[in-house]
Structure formats: structure tokens, C-alpha cells
Amino acid sequence: MLGFHHLRSRVLTSSGLEPFPSKNAWKRTLDYVMYGVGIFAPLALVPQILQIYRTKSGAGLSLSTWCLLTLFNALWAFYGAVHKDKHIFFANVLMFFFNSAIIIGILLYT
């Protein structure tokens, strides 16, 4: 969702879309809630990280899935850096590091 902010910003002048953040109070609130989601969503990985390192077991986790997710987050972070969109960048850097911690745990304990 944060990734679409940049796309919307780029086409505002040519397609007549509303500005970001929206002038509508409800939509503006939703815009800011989504910023929070982008920052706090990586925290959803903390329980998985804790479980891996506490139990010293990566059983049942797919290394290839976590590697792909990490790659995708790295690409989104790069996209955010190139387009100077700090929300995309920081959210995906956090996801990259948390996903990397899971990958390391899988490699250590599987």
C-alpha cells in the first residue's frame, strides 16, 4: 500500500487525481494510518524471530520463502531510496532486517 503513494504522486498532474494526503478528512486519516501500518507491520515478525531463537529450531519454516521475501523487501527499499520515499524505504529496510534474522535462525537451527 505504501508503494502506491509514489505512483499516485507521479500521476497527480496528468490525471487529475486528488492530492496526497487527501483533502478529505477520512481519507487523510486513512493515509496516515497506512503510514503507521508500514512502520509497525515489521513488528509482526518479532514473535517468529523470538520463537526461532528461544526454541533453537527453524523446523517448519521454508528457507526459500523467507529468502524471496527478503529479496522483495530489499527491492522495495531500493525503490524507496531511488524515489526518495522515506516511508517505503524505512518500512522495507525494517522488513529486510527482520526477515534476515529469520533466515539466519533457519540456517543456524535447521
Side-chain angles (χ1 to χ4, degrees):
M1 289 171 241
L2 290 176
F4 293 116
H5 161 66
H6 177 71
L7 295 175
R8 287 189 66 232
S9 297
R10 292 179 65 187
V11 297
L12 282 177
T13 57
S14 62
S15 65
L17 295 176
E18 64 187 69
F20 184 88
S22 176
K23 292 180 182 179
N24 178 292
W26 184 88
K27 290 180 185 177
R28 187 173 51 251
T29 300
L30 182 61
D31 291 339
Y32 290 123
V33 166
M34 293 313 296
Y35 281 147
V37 168
I39 298 303
F40 292 110
L43 297 178
L45 295 175
V46 171
Q48 183 70 70
I49 295 168
L50 292 175
Q51 180 180 354
I52 292 169
Y53 288 96
R54 282 183 185 158
T55 64
K56 298 187 184 315
S57 173
L61 298 176
S62 169
L63 179 61
S64 58
T65 297
W66 289 102
C67 286
L68 285 171
L69 289 171
T70 304
L71 172 66
F72 297 147
N73 287 126
L75 292 171
W76 270 111
F78 179 69
Y79 176 88
V82 167
H83 292 285
K84 297 179 176 122
D85 190 319
K86 62 185 174 184
H87 299 99
I88 292 173
F89 177 76
F90 286 120
N92 285 285
V93 165
L94 286 173
M95 291 294 284
F96 175 84
F97 284 117
F98 286 171
N99 286 338
S100 296
I102 292 172
I103 290 171
I104 292 167
I106 292 171
L107 292 171
L108 287 174
Y109 302 121
T110 302

